């Protein structure tokens, strides 16, 4: 997830681009850059780190004169977050400059092809491959529009990009596929950007670009083309009446809600390039050459720890690899038992959690291998791991982690399928079924989220006076029960405890009374009868019960919350957002500070 902006108009472009990038910084801030054309030369400015480092570099008279240009704020995916890898990227002749948000999945093949034609590369990014491909295409096509159409037909993956040319000052080309891109249509000026706030101070007229569309614009006009035939497409201008503040949250009231609703996109991004439907395999090129472990030890904190517990179920059942999961703050003080063939998996959204980092340092000091599962590229966990799998959740701003866990679960599932295929313990039929469901998961979640939010809004007021909640689950839903309880605690300040449903009768059931409701994860699987009996025990003590379940399930409960049956473990990808929305709506109903709950910090870098 990166932020891009392009401007062409009557104002000095550089301040407009910088202002736009400031409002896009929430999409990443590993590096920033901009480029403009002046007197038939491209002028490039880039800096590692936050935007103010770029601002410090902007000098020279041409900075004041340019009236068009492109800008980028980066969330690193390919290549370290340094200046060389910062966007914009130029082609070998310094004729074209491009900013990009997304992932070019086949960039290695394209790079090899371009190297064969004599092209050289300056960065490790997939984006530079794209700009060089367009430059290469210009040898065979008479216009940039045609060169773009051909190049994009060669590219697999996701992109939103903007391009300028040394020979066409004042012109901008932009296109999208599976990454956001919006056109801002001003008077005597036009914009494209990853998000509306980037140009909202200048125009409220927007055009939502669709996948497979290309826009060509200058200060006075813009035209959208269908990339498949380069015919113009008629588009509607829509008027935005949000203020800048709410626009940064994409119109959502809180970042947490926005991030919950971003989970379908997170699934799409995490799965990009991973599912091979021709060979019915999953791709994890990051792990090539790494032996399949005989045992996996997972260490993590908080929500990431819950993801690890969930991962144990899929890794053991699919890949048949024994797994231990440890809270990192405990693990770091353990006596490690040497075990040949074991691998240590460190899970962290931020990659900077002190306990997780200390745990993995201890492991590496003993010469044992660590695999990082991490969201922030170049973070300490990533740098200090032998191998890294990046989750593609984009920056998570809300203190309560939501979309990061979704990305961790899907990557753990892919990891389990990958090792299952390496060990030959999954049948082609089961692999086909898993890939098929994974492919449609993002769409299913996207269609379900609005209804889920409505259901959470209906239920929460009836339980808002509760002093304490139980969250119960069995099997793979037990870690999600823990996560449901954590989310409720941290943002609504209602005490909550996650429990394996079968354990309730061994003590905690003493707490059940009408004011202590139970939220049960009673999905329709082989454990349904068991959890049904546990709920009868709760009911017998006059406990109120909300049950998240699948259609057709009969339970004696107070509130039934149905989600479609996706089977195990994929139901989890609907259960998780339901729990997040329940906590969110409860906190909103109780008037709590959802995005910045008391006493908490986003990244816990102290012990
Ligand atoms: C809960 C939450 C925390 C983090 C924990 C680990 O909503 O955000 O429990 O999950 O502090 O953080 P990372 O994953 O960055 O290591």
């Amino acid at each position: 997830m990166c932020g891009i902006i392009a401007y062409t108009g009557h104002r000095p472009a550089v301040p407009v681009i910088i202002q736009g990038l400031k409002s896009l910084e929430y999409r990443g801030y590993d590096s920033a850059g901009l480029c403009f054309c002046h007197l038939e030369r491209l002028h490039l400015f880039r800096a590692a780190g936050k935007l103010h480092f770029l601002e410090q570099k902007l000098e020279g008279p041409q900075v004041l004169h340019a009236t068009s240009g492109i800008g980028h704020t980066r969330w690193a995916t390919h290549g370290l977050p340094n200046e060389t890898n910062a966007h914009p990227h130029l082609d070998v002749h310094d004729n074209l400059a491009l900013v990009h948000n997304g992932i070019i999945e086949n960039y290695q093949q394209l790079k090899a092809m371009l190297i064969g034609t004599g092209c050289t590369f300056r960065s490790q990014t997939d984006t530079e491959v794209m700009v060089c491909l367009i430059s290469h295409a210009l040898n065979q096509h008479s216009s940039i529009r045609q060169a773009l159409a051909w190049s994009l037909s060669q590219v697999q993956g996701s992109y939103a990009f903007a391009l300028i040319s040394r020979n066409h000052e004042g012109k901008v080309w932009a296109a999208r596929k599976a990454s956001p891109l919006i056109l801002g249509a001003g008077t005597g000026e036009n914009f494209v950007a990853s998000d509306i706030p980037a140009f909202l101070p200048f125009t409220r007229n927007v055009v939502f670009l669709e996948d497979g569309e290309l826009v060509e614009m200058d200060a006075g006009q813009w035209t959208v083309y269908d990339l498949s035939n380069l015919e113009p497409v008629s588009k509607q201008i829509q008027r935005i009446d949000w203020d800048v503040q709410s626009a940064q949250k994409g119109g959502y009231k809180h970042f947490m809600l926005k991030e919950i609703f971003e989970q379908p996109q997170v699934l799409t991004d995490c799965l990009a390039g991973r599912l091979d439907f021709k060979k019915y395999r999953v791709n994890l090129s990051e792990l090539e050459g790494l032996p399949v472990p005989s045992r996996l030890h997972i260490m993590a904190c908080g929500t990431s720890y819950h993801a690890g517990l969930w991962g144990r179920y899929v890794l053991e059942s699919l890949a048949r690899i024994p797994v231990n999961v440890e809270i990192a703050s405990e693990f770091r003080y353990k006596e490690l038992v040497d075990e040949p063939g074991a691998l240590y998996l460190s899970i962290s959204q931020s990659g900077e959690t002190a306990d997780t980092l200390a745990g993995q340092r201890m492991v590496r000091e003993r010469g044992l291998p660590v695999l990082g599962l991490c969201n922030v590229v170049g973070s300490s966990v990533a740098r200090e791991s032998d191998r890294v799998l990046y989750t593609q959740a984009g920056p998570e701003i809300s203190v309560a982690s939501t979309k990061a866990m979704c990305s961790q679960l899907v990557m753990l599932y892919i990891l389990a399928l990958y090792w299952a295929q390496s060990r030959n313990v999954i049948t082609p039929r089961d692999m086909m079924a898993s890939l098929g469901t994974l492919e449609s998961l993002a769409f299913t979640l996207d269609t379900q989220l609005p209804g889920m939010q409505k259901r959470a809004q209906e239920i929460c007021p009836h339980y808002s006076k509760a002093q304490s909640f139980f969250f119960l689950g069995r099997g793979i839903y037990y870690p999600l029960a823990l996560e449901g309880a954590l989310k409720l605690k941290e943002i609504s300040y209602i005490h909550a405890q996650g429990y394996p449903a079968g354990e309730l009768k061994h003590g905690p059931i003493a707490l059940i009374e009408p004011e202590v409701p139970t939220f049960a994860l009673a999905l329709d699987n082989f454990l349904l009868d068991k959890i049904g009996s546990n709920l009868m025990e709760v009911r017998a003590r006059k406990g109120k019960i909300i049950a998240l379940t699948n259609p057709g399930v009969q339970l004696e409960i107070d509130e039934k919350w149905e989600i479609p049956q996706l089977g195990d473990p994929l139901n989890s990808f609907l259960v998780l957002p339901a729990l997040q929305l329940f906590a969110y709506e409860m906190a909103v109903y109780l008037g709590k500070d959802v995005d910045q709950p008391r006493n908490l910090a986003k990244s816990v870098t102290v012990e």
Side-chain angles (χ1 to χ4, degrees), residues 185-264:
T187 310
E189 59 185 348
N190 290 306
F191 307 75
V192 286
S194 307
D195 204 354
I196 294 168
F199 52 69
L200 202 55
F202 306 104
T203 180
R204 292 184 168 273
N205 293 334
V206 308
V207 175
F208 291 98
L209 298 168
E210 301 296 336
D211 284 359
E213 290 180 346
L214 166 75
V215 60
E216 190 173 301
M217 65 187 198
D218 56 29
Q221 59 182 7
W222 53 267
T223 311
V224 177
Y225 296 93
D226 180 336
L227 265 171
S228 64
N229 53 18
L230 289 183
E231 292 291 324
V233 181
S234 131
K235 300 289 288 182
Q236 283 230 314
I237 294 188
Q238 298 186 30
R239 183 121 184 114
I240 296 295
D241 25 319
W242 312 327
D243 57 29
V244 174
Q245 170 80 27
S246 61
Q248 268 171 348
K249 295 179 187 147
Y252 291 97
K253 203 166 161 201
H254 297 101
F255 279 109
M256 181 179 176
L257 188 62
K258 177 168 182 262
E259 287 162 8
I260 292 172
F261 273 78
E262 276 171 0
Q263 289 175 114

Side-chain angles (χ1 to χ4, degrees), residues 300-313 325-327 400-401 405 409 469-491 494-504 508 518-523 531 548 572 575-580 582-583:
C301 300
T303 293
S304 296
Y305 167 71
H306 297 155
L309 287 176
W310 185 92
R312 174 167 65 193
Y313 286 86
V325 192
E326 309 260 8
I327 291 178
S401 183
M405 183 167 180
L409 298 193
F469 256 90
F470 275 109
F471 282 74
L472 300 183
R474 295 190 78 128
I476 197 157
Y477 302 110
Y478 160 54
L480 297 180
L482 295 177
E483 178 60 10
L486 176 62
K487 286 283 99 77
L488 190 70
K489 268 188 283 223
E490 67 182 326
I491 59 168
I494 297 177
H495 176 258
Q497 189 150 11
Y499 243 90
E503 187 66 10
L504 201 68
T518 293
F519 194 121
L521 306 180
L523 285 304
I531 196 161
L548 195 62
S572 308
V575 170
L576 178 65
L579 292 167
Q580 295 164 344
F582 181 75

Side-chain angles (χ1 to χ4, degrees), residues 300-306 347-354 356 373 375-376 381 396 398-402 404 408 483 486-487 490-491 600-604:
C301 300
T303 293
S304 296
Y305 167 71
H306 297 155
I347 307 180
S348 175
Q349 184 285 128
S350 62
E352 301 297 345
T353 299
T356 310
L373 179 61
N375 197 32
V376 179
V381 165
E396 199 176 52
S398 171
V399 166
S401 183
T402 53
Q408 290 163 347
E483 178 60 10
L486 176 62
K487 286 283 99 77
E490 67 182 326
I491 59 168
L600 297 179
K602 182 68 188 155
S603 180
V604 186

Side-chain angles (χ1 to χ4, degrees), residues 290-297 315-316 319-324 337-344 368-369 419 423:
L290 185 78
V292 180
S294 55
R295 178 184 296 274
L296 188 70
H297 295 275
L315 285 155
E316 289 186 343
R320 314 294 301 145
I321 294 172
V323 180
N324 287 343
V337 179
D338 279 342
E339 206 184 358
L343 177 69
Y344 291 79
L368 300 169
W419 276 332
R423 302 190 67 223

Side-chain angles (χ1 to χ4, degrees), residues 30 74-81 349-350 374-379 382-383 390-392:
D30 292 328
R74 181 165 185 241
W75 173 260
T77 57
H78 290 73
L80 287 174
Q349 184 285 128
S350 62
C374 189
N375 197 32
V376 179
V377 174
S379 61
R383 280 184 282 109
Y390 283 116
T391 54
Q392 303 287 346

